[in-house]
């Protein structure tokens, strides 16, 4: 196996690859041999780089509903136990719950077998450490280098594999939080009279309906796709997917629900829809989460990804009285930036991406879709008691007339260098053509256009992982997106390694 192969398994701060063998035009990445070497390397890294002793390590491992998840979990647990590690097998679980085993479950580290929203034939591994949370990209690179070299600890006796249903503890924590925050007269049933639909997309999130909401008195009869099915037969479990959002919107409207929530496969992302089936996702989700975070942290700073709208900045800063710090895409990027701000004395209670990743200061800065939706439900109940809805919170959020995202393929192997050159060239082109380059931008190039030239903005950036340049465009006027495209078309047309077929 070559360095290129091992490097290809790195997906930001995760490890991902094809896990189903025998598919046409797809080579198996996560073979048993590869899984064993990666898990062995993770244990070796914990000992070599973090100072643990393998026979004193306690590591939990869980999985989502993917068809290869159970096998990879079992193989990983067996591999760790051979080094003397005490392993807790948590079975079907959510990514946030696996992190929490390092907070109050007595585990030194945790592993989640998941590939998030990716197709059924992929799978992967996420890693967490006690006190520090999810691993950084540099940590993953080091683990993969150990895996490539075959580095491993010595086999030791004394390892064990013990079943642990930690999801019971995780759900109990959420239920208690809702009870204490709502403080209803019927304390144990704060959601009585609320009809809430949950769409788990056949991932791991069905527990939220049956084990969190229902015991608190909520009517969950409008819920859909709660049963785990790793083939994802109904829609991709992804709050950014249009079919997925249409499904939860339809469930809410057809069943006359007060609210709907939806999760990705491993429940580290979430979104919502209101009683009319209107989406509370992307900028609307960021706006609502910001309102929740700033309620007890007036004037604080909200960290978001780079593609949030100008209207959101107005909402956070003018309507809510907070500060908007637009940063880079990537959930670890926004989390780390929020942590950095807090470390220098800047109050930042929320780091959130438009994708649905949201990490809150009062929840260990863990990106947790279930916790985000819990916060939303608590606010919905409180507003309901005042005769209001979530829409009353969002009514002052300016919405663009048009919004589009184009994913432009880069057709050269050295895509990062080429993409960066494209960005630098666009900055130069903007300066030569009286187009405003937005200052203090941390990713790609963001351009602003006045009312006569598109009435909005665009952001061109490099994808975090793939040979893609996403181009986000928003306009406050009908037809404005096309006007903005016309302004940048002369430049992009000259970039011969960009596939512009979906743009022009």
């Amino acid at each position: 196996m070559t360095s290129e192969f091992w490097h290809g398994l790195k997906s930001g701060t995760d490890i991902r690859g094809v896990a189903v063998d025998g598919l046409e035009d797809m080579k198996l990445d996560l073979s048993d041999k590869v899984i064993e070497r990666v898990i062995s390397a993770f244990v070796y890294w914990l000992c070599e780089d973090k100072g643990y002793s393998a026979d004193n390590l306690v590591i939990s491992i869980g999985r989502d509903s993917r068809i290869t998840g159970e096998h990879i979990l079992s193989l990983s647990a067996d591999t760790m136990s051979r080094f003397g590690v005490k392993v807790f097998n948590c079975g079907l679980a959510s990514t946030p719950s696996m992190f929490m085993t390092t907070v109050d479950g007595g585990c030194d580290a945790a592993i989640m077998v998941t590939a998030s929203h990716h197709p059924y034939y992929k799978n992967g591994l996420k890693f967490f450490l006690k006190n520090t949370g999810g691993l950084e990209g540099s940590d993953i690179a080091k683990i993969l280098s150990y895996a490539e070299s075959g580095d491993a600890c010595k086999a030791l006796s004394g390892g064990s594999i013990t079943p642990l249903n930690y999801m019971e503890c995780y759900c109990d924590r959420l239920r208690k939080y809702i009870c204490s925050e709502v403080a209803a007269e019927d304390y144990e049933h704060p959601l009585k009279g609320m009809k809430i639909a949950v769409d788990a997309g056949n991932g791991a999130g069905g527990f939220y309906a049956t084990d969190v909401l229902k015991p608190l008195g909520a009517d969950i009869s409008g819920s859909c796709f709660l049963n785990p099915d790793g083939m994802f037969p109904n829609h991709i479990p992804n709050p950014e997917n249009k079919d997925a959002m249409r499904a939860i919107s339809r469930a809410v409207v057809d069943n006359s629900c007060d609210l709907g929530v939806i999760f990705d496969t491993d429940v580290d992302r979430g979104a919502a829809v209101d009683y009319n089936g209107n989406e509370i996702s992307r900028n609307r989700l960021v706006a609502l989460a910001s309102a929740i975070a700033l309620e007890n942290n007036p004037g604080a700073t909200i960290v978001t990804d780079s593609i949030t709208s100008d209207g959101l900045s107005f909402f956070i800063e003018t309507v809510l009285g907070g500060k908007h710090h637009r940063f880079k895409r990537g959930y670890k990027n926004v989390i780390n930036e929020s942590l950095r701000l807090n470390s220098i004395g800047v109050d930042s209670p929320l780091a959130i991406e438009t994708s649905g990743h949201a990490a809150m200061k009062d929840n260990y800065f863990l990106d947790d879709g279930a916790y985000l939706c819990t916060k939303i439900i608590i606010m919905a109940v409180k507003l309901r008691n005042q005769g209001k809805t979530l829409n009353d919170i969002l009514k002052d959020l300016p919405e663009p007339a048009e919004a589009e995202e184009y994913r432009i393929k880069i057709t050269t192997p050295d895509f990062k260098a080429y993409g960066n050159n494209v960005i630098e060239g666009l900055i130069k082109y903007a300066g030569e053509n009286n187009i405003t380059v937005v200052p203090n931008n941390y990713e790609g190039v963001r351009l602003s256009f006045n009312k006569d030239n598109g009435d909005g903005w665009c952001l061109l950036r490099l994808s975090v992982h793939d040979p893609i340049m996403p181009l986000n465009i928003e306009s406050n006027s009908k037809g404005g997106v096309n006007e903005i495209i016309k302004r940048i078309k002369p430049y992009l047309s000259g970039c011969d390694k960009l596939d512009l077929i979906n743009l022009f």
Side-chain angles (χ1 to χ4, degrees), residues 123-402:
N123 216 328
L125 299 162
K126 290 185 177 183
F127 303 96
F128 299 95
L129 285 185
K130 187 174 184 178
N131 298 324
T132 58
L135 268 57
E136 300 292 338
S138 57
D139 299 325
I140 298 298
K142 190 71 174 290
I143 290 167
L144 286 172
S145 72
Y146 286 147
E148 182 180 17
S149 302
D151 292 321
C153 299
K154 293 182 179 179
L156 294 171
S157 61
S160 61
I161 303 173
T162 305
L164 173 64
N165 184 5
Y166 184 79
M167 288 301 295
E168 285 187 355
C169 301
Y170 178 79
C171 292
D172 183 61
R173 176 173 172 264
L174 290 178
R175 289 195 303 268
K176 287 178 177 176
Y177 184 65
I178 294 172
C179 288
S180 65
E181 288 295 304
V182 174
E185 186 175 343
D186 184 354
Y187 187 83
E188 299 294 330
H189 301 96
L191 303 183
K192 189 175 182 179
M194 290 284 288
K195 191 170 187 179
I196 304 172
V198 176
D199 185 336
N202 302 112
F207 73 89
Y208 192 74
T210 57
D211 298 340
V212 177
L213 302 184
K214 187 176 180 180
L216 299 182
D219 180 347
I220 61 166
S221 60
S223 298
C224 55
F225 316 137
L226 301 182
N227 294 330
D229 185 336
M231 293 300 292
F232 312 126
N234 294 291
H235 62 68
I236 297 170
N238 181 4
E240 287 190 290
N241 179 266
K242 292 181 179 179
D243 290 336
M245 293 307 295
R246 277 194 291 265
I248 183 59
S249 296
R250 187 167 55 248
V252 168
V253 173
D254 290 350
N255 294 280
S256 301
C257 296
D258 299 298
L259 182 68
V261 296
I262 184 170
F263 302 113
D264 71 344
T265 318
D266 60 325
V267 203
D268 63 355
R269 291 189 293 138
V273 298
D274 67 17
Y275 65 95
N276 286 319
N278 297 317
E279 295 183 18
I280 304 176
S281 60
R282 300 182 68 82
N283 285 295
R284 284 169 59 81
L285 181 68
V286 177
L288 183 56
S290 299
I292 292 169
L294 291 169
E295 190 174 24
N296 295 316
N297 299 276
T301 297
I302 306 299
V303 178
T304 75
D305 61 4
S306 60
I307 65 171
T308 48
S309 68
D310 292 343
L312 180 67
S313 290
F314 171 85
F315 183 76
I316 291 174
E317 297 188 346
T318 303
V319 177
L320 299 179
K323 296 180 179 64
H324 183 198
H325 182 51
R326 192 184 281 123
F327 198 58
K328 301 176 183 178
R329 288 278 279 178
Y331 71 94
K332 279 296 285 184
N333 287 330
V334 293
I335 289 172
N336 286 344
E337 180 66 1
S338 194
L339 288 168
R340 184 190 70 80
L341 290 174
N342 281 291
S343 72
I344 61 173
V346 177
D347 184 16
S348 178
L350 172 65
I352 184 168
E353 277 198 301
T354 49
S355 65
H357 280 290
M360 295 187 171
K361 189 176 184 179
D362 63 4
N363 191 43
Y364 308 96
F365 273 110
L366 168 65
D367 55 317
D368 185 343
Y371 189 77
L372 172 65
C373 289
T374 294
K375 287 276 199 177
I376 292 172
I377 288 170
I378 289 168
M379 174 169 272
V381 174
K382 290 180 176 180
L383 289 169
R384 186 171 183 259
N385 292 337
Q386 301 169 26
K388 298 180 180 179
T389 70
L390 295 174
N391 291 330
D392 290 299
I393 300 294
L394 296 172
K395 62 182 175 60
D396 294 322
L397 172 67
E399 304 267 12
E402 295 180 336

Side-chain angles (χ1 to χ4, degrees), residues 78-97:
D78 287 342
T79 301
M80 290 187 285
S81 69
R82 291 202 298 268
F83 301 118
V85 176
K86 295 174 179 61
V87 181
F88 284 125
N89 181 344
C90 296
L92 185 69
S94 70
T95 291
S97 73

